[in-house]
Amino acid sequence: VSDQSGLWNELAQGPDEVFASFLVPALFGPMADALLRIVLPRPGERVLDVAAGTGAVSSRARERVGSGGRIVGVDLSTGMLGIAGRLRSADALCGGDMGALPFRRAAFDLVLCQQGLPFAPQPERALAEMHGVLRSGGRLGVAVFGPLEECPTYAAIAEALGRFADTTAMLPPFALSDADRLVALVRGAGFADVRLVREAVDLRAPSARDFVVGLAAGGSSMRRVMAAVPEDQRRRVVESVEAALARFQGGAGLIVPQPCLFVAADAP
Ligand SMILES: C[S@@+](CC[C@H](N)C(=O)[O-])C[C@H]1O[C@@H](n2cnc3c(N)ncnc32)[C@H](O)[C@@H]1O
């Protein structure tokens, strides 16, 4: 990702491609690694990846379950699923809403959902659906972003953008960043032995500028906010974010902690 031309909205890649080629290596891949270290998919398990996107979680889970296991990804976006398919992230991919999962009951041993639940209009319902497709004794692993104000990158972007635009549209990815609420929702859906892990993963990008450009191009919420901001103001946003994140920039590029919440639970 580069905005050398100054026109980051004219990137050759579409938003879903930028998500896969830039945001997954920068953030969603490391987050998936952390989720799977916490939930530990086992050889032979049948795994459902809810809101699978381009398959960051599916592809990693696939390595762990081996040839005897099966990974199924479900997502609302056909564009994201198209890339997941091209990357052979899962054994099967299907379009569907997490509020009405298109699978029979007790079909899976493990359900994973990374940074998808905050987008559910009714997270209670989505969690009940996840519970329903798990066999008795199955497991759930959920990952979401921690609070926006604790995420140095997003907080810097929100602060800089807030001078020029309404940043309300940046908020949906952080809708479940309250750990107590998240745990209560998972318990409320009937899960037992609910464990919360707070862990910051390393967000990596060549530079703060690259991250802002990549997020504006590949992040659905950020794209909406940035679309309303003229080019000269975008440049000022980038400059402010570069200044705010200067302490995270070193020889290996930009490395910033991204606080995340992970929840592991059992389906009784
Ligand atoms: C930030 S992306 C995360 C994708 C993937 N889990 C990852 O970690 O790379 C959020 C995903 O949630 C999907 N999504 C949003 N609402 C959904 C819904 N109601 N049902 C299924 N997927 C949904 C979007 O299409 C998008 O692919």
Side-chain angles (χ1 to χ4, degrees):
V1 175
S2 158
D3 75 335
Q4 306 242 323
S5 68
L7 293 169
W8 58 42
N9 48 359
E10 288 189 5
L11 287 165
Q13 293 182 312
D16 300 334
E17 272 93 2
V18 176
F19 189 92
S21 67
F22 182 75
L23 291 177
V24 169
L27 177 56
F28 292 96
M31 199 172 163
D33 289 332
L35 173 64
L36 298 190
R37 271 197 309 274
I38 289 163
V39 187
L40 291 174
R42 299 166 190 151
E45 282 192 319
R46 300 162 299 166
V47 180
L48 177 64
D49 181 10
V50 176
T54 58
V57 172
S58 292
S59 57
R60 287 165 173 77
R62 204 173 192 197
E63 288 169 18
R64 292 184 181 249
V65 301
S67 55
R70 182 169 166 79
I71 311 287
V72 179
V74 60
D75 199 285
L76 260 190
S77 160
T78 49
M80 295 287 251
L81 286 178
I83 294 172
R86 214 173 62 215
L87 297 174
R88 300 186 194 284
S89 303
D91 297 294
L93 292 161
C94 85
D97 186 332
M98 66 180 116
L101 289 174
F103 307 103
R104 61 179 170 76
R105 293 187 68 76
F108 296 97
D109 304 302
L110 175 62
V111 170
L112 301 169
C113 184
Q114 169 165 292
Q115 193 49 19
L117 204 51
F119 299 101
Q122 293 177 280
E124 307 76 1
R125 181 163 170 181
L127 284 163
E129 287 288 293
M130 295 181 206
H131 192 287
V133 300
L134 275 171
R135 70 168 168 83
S136 172
R139 286 131 60 231
L140 173 75
V142 170
V144 299
F145 288 168
L148 182 142
E149 55 281 7
E150 293 173 19
C151 301
T153 42
Y154 288 86
I157 295 169
E159 155 109 36
L161 259 174
R163 278 181 253 135
F164 307 114
D166 177 2
T167 52
T168 312
M170 271 185 72
L171 300 180
F174 298 90
L176 290 179
S177 299
D178 177 330
D180 293 341
R181 175 159 181 246
L182 179 63
V183 166
L185 282 168
V186 173
R187 284 212 181 97
F191 288 96
D193 196 11
V194 180
R195 289 142 282 150
L196 173 78
V197 178
R198 294 172 201 265
E199 189 177 317
V201 303
D202 281 344
L203 182 162
R204 289 171 187 265
S207 67
R209 164 178 296 261
D210 281 283
F211 186 70
V212 177
V213 173
L215 190 61
S220 58
S221 304
M222 188 64 70
R223 219 164 50 232
R224 240 165 269 142
V225 185
M226 279 290 191
V229 178
E231 181 77 26
D232 62 318
Q233 294 180 353
R234 292 182 184 191
R235 286 182 191 284
R236 285 162 65 191
V237 168
V238 168
E239 285 161 13
S240 298
V241 176
E242 280 176 328
L245 299 181
R247 67 187 190 282
F248 299 108
Q249 186 77 41
L254 182 80
I255 306 178
V256 192
Q258 169 74 24
C260 297
L261 304 176
F262 300 93
V263 173
D266 298 338

